[in-house]
Amino acid sequence: GFLFIPLITDILLRLGIDKSHLLSENYVTKMEKVLDGAAREEFGMMEKGEHIANCIKMQHEAIADQEWVNEIVKHFSGGGDLPHQQPFAALQRADTFLFSMFFLPVDKKTGNAIFKYWFAMISFFLTLDDVEDFESDQQTGEMNVVIEAGTERVHQLLQDSITTIAEINPAMSAYMTTLLQKLGITSKLNTITVSR
């Protein structure tokens, strides 16, 4: 489930964030705090609102561009979508991770690139998870992008993610394509289409 951490770290390096910042005690500690809150929320140990409120409180310690920080805070306070964000609730369930970016020296231009590649990457992996969990999520009523968006849109979303990631990391994009084949995602989506 935490495969995205080294992948987003690679993207941040490619966007020019120095390794010393990505390995700093402050950043890693704050990232752990955000992830701990997200895990507690997922397992019903904390309400989503409490997790978000705790993350928003950290904005006063942010070293990222304040305008960019404010954009994230506004979004999580009910202020609309972020640039490049998918419109499906099922694909927004990991986005509080963006709060950890507050503790990196991110200017607004780099911040907007982070949005672009974060949403492409995380949407891809959450979609893979939702394809695998389609039947159980359908039975339990859990959020699932296949249920929310339909298989045709999901096919396109996966391809769009691969294309976007290819702009910054062709090797990661190729890995994502290989995963689709290895996990038989297209076949599984086609089966879902037939059975719906």
Side-chain angles (χ1 to χ4, degrees):
F2 291 103
L3 175 66
F4 75 87
I5 296 175
L7 296 180
I8 191 60
T9 301
D10 178 83
I11 288 170
L12 293 170
L13 281 167
R14 289 168 188 264
L15 289 173
I17 306 295
D18 193 86
K19 190 185 294 183
S20 63
H21 293 291
L22 294 168
L23 297 176
S24 70
E25 185 72 21
N26 187 46
Y27 171 64
V28 173
T29 301
K30 292 298 196 307
M31 178 175 64
E32 287 175 341
K33 185 175 180 180
V34 171
L35 290 171
D36 179 66
R40 289 174 183 275
E41 178 205 328
E42 183 178 353
F43 292 108
M45 300 164 63
M46 179 186 285
E47 292 296 321
K48 183 174 183 178
E50 183 183 355
H51 168 51
I52 289 172
N54 289 339
C55 290
I56 287 175
K57 285 177 188 173
M58 298 192 300
Q59 70 178 298
H60 305 295
E61 305 169 61
I63 64 170
D65 179 270
Q66 194 60 49
E67 187 181 345
W68 188 71
V69 166
N70 290 344
E71 194 169 359
I72 295 171
V73 170
K74 181 181 175 184
H75 163 71
F76 282 102
S77 302
D81 290 338
L82 294 168
H84 306 285
Q85 187 175 35
Q86 290 292 339
F88 308 111
L91 297 182
Q92 296 176 14
R93 61 189 191 264
D95 290 346
T96 55
F97 182 75
L98 289 167
F99 283 109
S100 65
M101 303 290 116
F102 287 7
F103 307 100
L104 295 173
V106 175
D107 60 30
K108 194 163 191 302
K109 181 180 177 184
T110 304
N112 288 336
I114 289 171
F115 287 150
K116 180 178 183 179
Y117 297 119
W118 163 259
F119 290 126
M121 183 202 70
I122 202 66
S123 295
F124 179 86
F125 288 104
L126 290 175
T127 299
L128 292 191
D129 186 56
D130 283 359
V131 172
E132 296 291 339
D133 294 345
F134 173 75
E135 288 186 13
S136 61
D137 287 347
Q138 199 173 36
Q139 291 170 3
T140 60
E142 290 290 321
M143 284 195 301
N144 185 299
V145 72
V146 182
I147 297 168
E148 190 178 352
T151 54
E152 186 176 331
R153 181 66 186 93
V154 166
H155 277 296
Q156 188 61 53
L157 190 151
L158 290 168
Q159 291 308 314
D160 290 348
S161 291
I162 290 169
T163 300
T164 299
I165 293 298
E167 297 172 6
I168 193 164
N169 188 335
M172 189 190 301
S173 177
Y175 169 68
M176 291 160 74
T177 301
T178 301
L179 269 183
L180 285 186
Q181 296 163 354
K182 184 177 179 181
L183 298 174
I185 296 298
T186 300
S187 175
K188 289 175 181 175
L189 282 170
N190 289 340
T191 301
I192 291 169
T193 302
V194 169
S195 65
R196 287 185 78 183

